[in-house]
Amino acid sequence: IFDFNDWPGSGGFTHSSQFPDHTTNFLCDGTEGEGYPEPLNEGMKYLRFHSNVGAWGWMVLWAGYIQVPAEVAADPASYNLCFEVCTNASYPLGSTTRICLGDYMWMPGASGIPVNTYGGWRTMRIGLDEVSENKIIPDGCSPAPDNTAWKIVFTPTDAMDFDLSMCNFRFSKKID
């Protein structure tokens, strides 16, 4: 979905590009120093957010437009949004974690069981048909080459410290 080699890309922005007091653009390659996870694959870039967000605050990791493949736009129920997540063991994604993906509010710890990858990468899958309101991609989205508005925004219900890395966002056909 994203070209991490052209970050944040044409028409895209991060919190730091809109608010100069936040100096990071979140893009990493694992060579930045201690505490940064190894990339999923050698030479691969990823997003890392290691900071605090206040209760009902927000932090824009990325916002802009994505290209939705025509086959995904035509039959979203047959696809998942997949991406990899890496959490620092001390910062699991608990019940107050809310991350907006498109217009969908992903709450990974809503079941009461925090998501903690203990420093390793783990694949997340969200069915494009699993939500009826505030979808990951909107109904009637524009297939490529037209653009569809999309975002990744952290907005927890309680003040929260994050140490979360994410990469390899993609649409993947469901396997029957």
Side-chain angles (χ1 to χ4, degrees):
I1 294 178
F2 303 106
D3 179 359
F4 286 156
N5 293 312
D6 179 25
W7 189 253
S10 177
F13 69 90
T14 65
H15 205 85
S16 63
S17 66
Q18 300 296 305
F19 301 96
D21 60 324
H22 199 279
T23 58
T24 184
N25 72 3
F26 309 111
L27 192 62
C28 303
D29 64 9
T31 63
E32 289 79 9
E34 188 176 328
Y36 285 80
E38 290 290 320
L40 181 64
N41 294 311
E42 186 176 335
M44 186 176 199
K45 295 180 182 177
Y46 60 88
L47 300 177
R48 180 178 185 229
F49 182 62
H50 184 202
S51 193
N52 175 281
V53 178
W56 301 101
W58 53 278
M59 179 63 62
V60 179
L61 261 68
W62 186 87
Y65 294 90
I66 62 170
Q67 303 295 317
V68 177
E71 61 274 13
V72 175
D75 185 18
S78 294
Y79 290 86
N80 291 316
L81 171 68
C82 296
F83 53 97
E84 274 65 42
V85 168
C86 178
T87 64
N88 178 307
S90 300
Y91 299 96
L93 303 176
S95 62
T96 63
T97 303
R98 296 175 354 135
I99 302 172
C100 187
L101 300 168
D103 288 333
Y104 173 66
M105 194 60 68
W106 180 48
M107 297 178 281
S111 69
I113 300 171
V115 172
N116 195 337
T117 70
Y118 299 95
W121 291 98
R122 191 165 107 194
T123 301
M124 301 290 139
R125 288 176 186 82
I126 303 170
L128 298 184
D129 62 341
E130 288 182 23
V131 290
S132 59
E133 296 179 25
N134 300 322
K135 297 188 178 215
I136 293 170
I137 59 171
D139 286 333
C141 72
S142 300
D146 293 331
N147 293 319
T148 298
W150 213 76
K151 60 191 165 289
I152 304 171
V153 178
F154 286 25
T155 177
T157 58
D158 289 333
M160 190 172 173
D161 292 323
F162 288 93
D163 191 352
L164 170 69
S165 298
M166 305 168 84
C167 70
N168 201 22
F169 288 85
R170 64 207 180 273
F171 296 114
S172 178
K173 184 119 173 109
K174 290 181 179 178
I175 300 171
D176 294 328

